[in-house]
């Protein structure tokens, strides 16, 4: 696979999101399948792997560390700190943030242990903490770089202004926020423009619309009671049915081109800039192979325009997050 850069890091053009292996979408953890998926990803040339303290919580970092141990020298492991993790049972829907310098340091030490590595390649603040100036948090993150415990720094779901302030404190390699055919916020809130201007990488999360844009999710019955998507506005019955009609048009376009809907969705995101490295998530080798193949699909300007129009913000029904979670983003 061809490579792209996130600040000072060189990575495969597509990474692998590991969250679903122990968190959010799964009621049961299939560790052997996930370990096999991690190994296959390395074999296919994927070099960026995404996890976080809060996924599980904790179990995702352990799984990712275990699966990537044989390949440590070939891969970049990205993890995140910054949600409060008081009650484990509520970690799937965290409601508080903690980016105090002491927590930044404590999570880094704990993440290093759980991952079983000596350095975290990319350490992201998971959500901006309204109670801690970003300069203080990034200052603590920069100390970890100076100490050799972290290689590069990132933010997630930060506003363009916060990104600018953070980057002035210490170079930021990447910002990770939701971006896909059906979520265009980074185009509208200045974040993509700021990345272009400052030479910061952009890592779209949920680039497959949490699975919906693959066309594989035809109804909500298959989702477990605890599936995170059950609480998202776009996955409520009426909205979901309206969105499915758009997705069926995406599937038709994909069939005409001899690819899958998910591959078109990923190829569209990749085409938005060479500083963009999406991290589609999967627990399955078959899906991983399809996703990785999207890195080789090229789209004409007319196809890009058609795709962008098909799922334009005005047509998609429902917000990406409920109010309680939306207010934690773009601070
Ligand atoms: N920074 C943040 O706040 C934040 C938030 C959310 C996610 N993330 C990161 O971003 C990564 C990706 O986002 P995401 O997992 O939310 O959403 P996503 O990548 O848009 O979609 C993942 C879903 O799509 C399914 N899927 C993947 N490839 C498929 C294919 N080819 N055909 C059919 N179904 C397919 C997966 O199920 P299977 O496992 O069955 O394939 C999973 O349910 C996460 O793993 C996580 O690391 C970060």
């Amino acid at each position: 696979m061809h490579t792209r850069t996130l600040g000072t890091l060189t990575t495969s053009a597509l990474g692998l999101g590991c969250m679903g292996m122990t968190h959010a979408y799964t009621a049961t953890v299939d560790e052997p399948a996930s370990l096999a998926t991690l190994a296959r990803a390395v074999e296919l040339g994927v070099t960026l792997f995404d996890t976080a303290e809060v996924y599980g919580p904790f179990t995702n970092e352990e799984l990712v560390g275990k699966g990537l141990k044989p390949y440590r020298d070939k891969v970049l492991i990205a993890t995140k700190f910054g949600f409060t993790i008081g009650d484990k049972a509520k970690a799937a829907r965290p409601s508080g943030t903690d980016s105090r310098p002491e927590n930044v340091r404590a999570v880094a030490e704990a993440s290093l242990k759980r991952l079983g590595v000596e350095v975290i390649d990319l350490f992201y603040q998971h959500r901006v903490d309204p109670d801690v100036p970003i300069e203080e948090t990034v200052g603590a993150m920069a100390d970890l770089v100076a100490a050799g415990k972290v290689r590069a720094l990132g933010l997630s779901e930060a506003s363009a202004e916060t990104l600018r302030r953070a980057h002035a404190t210490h170079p930021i390699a990447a910002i990770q926020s939701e971006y896909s055919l059906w979520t265009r916020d980074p185009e509208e809130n200045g974040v993509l423009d700021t990345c272009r201007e400052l030479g910061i990488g952009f890592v779209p999360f949920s680039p497959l619309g949490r699975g919906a844009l693959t066309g594989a999710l035809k109804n909500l019955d298959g989702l477990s009671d605890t599936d995170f998507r059950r609480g998202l506005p776009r996955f409520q019955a009426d909205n979901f049915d309206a969105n499915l009609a758009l997705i069926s048009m995406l599937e038709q376009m994909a069939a005409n081109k001899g690819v899958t809907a998910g591959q078109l969705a990923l190829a569209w995101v990749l085409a938005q800039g060479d500083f963009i490295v999406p991290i589609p998530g999967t627990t399955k080798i078959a899906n991983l192979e399809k996703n990785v193949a999207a890195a080789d699909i090229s789209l004409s300007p007319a196809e890009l325009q058609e795709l962008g129009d098909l799922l334009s913000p005005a047509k998609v029904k429902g917000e990406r997050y409920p109010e309680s979670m939306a207010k934690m983003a773009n601070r």
Side-chain angles (χ1 to χ4, degrees), residues 215-273:
L217 210 57
K218 291 285 183 254
N219 60 63
L220 301 169
D221 301 340
L223 302 185
S224 74
D225 290 347
T226 56
D227 193 301
F228 177 77
R229 290 168 288 198
R230 286 200 176 275
L232 302 180
R234 285 180 189 170
F235 291 84
Q236 303 311 303
D238 287 356
N239 288 340
F240 189 70
D241 287 346
N243 293 331
L244 265 188
L246 301 176
I247 291 162
S248 70
M249 290 190 259
L250 178 67
E251 287 182 282
Q252 191 53 57
M253 256 190 89
N256 294 343
K257 200 173 161 68
V259 300
T260 68
Q263 287 173 327
L264 266 195
L266 292 176
W268 180 88
V269 173
L270 281 162
Q272 305 310 307

Side-chain angles (χ1 to χ4, degrees), residues 25 50 127 156 176 206 208 210 281-284 287 291:
Y25 311 134
D50 191 79
R127 287 290 181 280
S156 177
Q176 176 178 137
S206 304
L208 294 168
R210 301 185 185 268
T282 183
T283 54
K284 301 183 179 67
N287 288 345
N291 298 345

Side-chain angles (χ1 to χ4, degrees), residues 298-309:
S298 51
L299 299 169
S300 68
E303 287 172 323
L304 287 168
Q305 179 77 42
E306 193 182 344
L307 279 165
D309 291 347

Side-chain angles (χ1 to χ4, degrees), residues 26-265:
T26 179
T28 52
V29 175
D30 185 344
E31 182 170 309
S34 291
L35 293 177
T37 302
L38 289 166
R40 181 69 179 135
V42 176
E43 204 169 68
L44 292 170
V46 175
T47 61
L48 178 65
F49 294 82
D50 191 79
T51 180
E53 177 198 37
V54 75
Y55 300 162
F58 314 129
T59 52
N60 203 266
E61 289 184 325
E62 288 162 1
L63 178 75
V64 168
K66 182 173 174 183
L68 296 178
K69 196 173 172 63
Y71 319 105
R72 179 63 188 113
D73 296 344
K74 292 186 188 170
V75 299
L76 300 174
I77 301 178
T79 193
K80 316 181 197 81
F81 70 89
F83 280 121
T84 46
I85 303 176
D87 179 353
K88 272 193 174 196
K90 289 187 186 149
R93 224 165 262 286
S95 55
T97 48
D98 187 350
S99 283
R100 291 169 303 142
E102 54 266 43
N103 194 48
V104 175
R105 288 189 286 272
V107 178
E109 292 299 342
S111 293
L112 284 165
K113 281 204 187 74
R114 283 190 291 269
L115 290 165
V117 297
E118 302 209 327
V119 60
I120 294 166
D121 298 300
L122 178 53
F123 199 39
Y124 291 102
Q125 180 195 44
H126 213 148
R127 287 290 181 280
V128 174
D129 185 339
D131 296 327
V132 183
I134 194 67
E135 290 80 4
E136 264 182 42
T137 301
V138 174
M141 294 165 80
D143 290 344
L144 293 167
V145 175
K149 295 180 181 191
V150 164
R151 286 179 63 200
L153 306 185
L155 305 183
S156 177
E157 293 275 20
S159 68
E161 191 208 327
T162 300
L163 179 58
R164 214 174 262 286
R165 282 170 51 197
H167 191 68
T169 307
H170 183 280
I172 299 297
I175 176 165
Q176 176 178 137
S177 298
E178 185 168 356
Y179 185 42
S180 68
L181 271 175
W182 79 352
T183 295
R184 308 287 178 81
D185 308 37
E187 292 174 359
E188 293 153 10
N189 63 19
V191 168
L192 287 182
D193 286 342
T194 305
C195 287
R196 271 189 211 96
E197 179 193 329
L198 301 178
I200 297 171
F202 185 86
V203 175
F205 76 70
S206 304
L208 294 168
R210 301 185 185 268
L213 298 173
T214 67
L217 210 57
K218 291 285 183 254
N219 60 63
L220 301 169
D221 301 340
L223 302 185
S224 74
D225 290 347
T226 56
D227 193 301
F228 177 77
R229 290 168 288 198
R230 286 200 176 275
L232 302 180
R234 285 180 189 170
F235 291 84
Q236 303 311 303
D238 287 356
N239 288 340
F240 189 70
D241 287 346
N243 293 331
L244 265 188
L246 301 176
I247 291 162
S248 70
M249 290 190 259
L250 178 67
E251 287 182 282
Q252 191 53 57
M253 256 190 89
N256 294 343
K257 200 173 161 68
V259 300
T260 68
Q263 287 173 327
L264 266 195

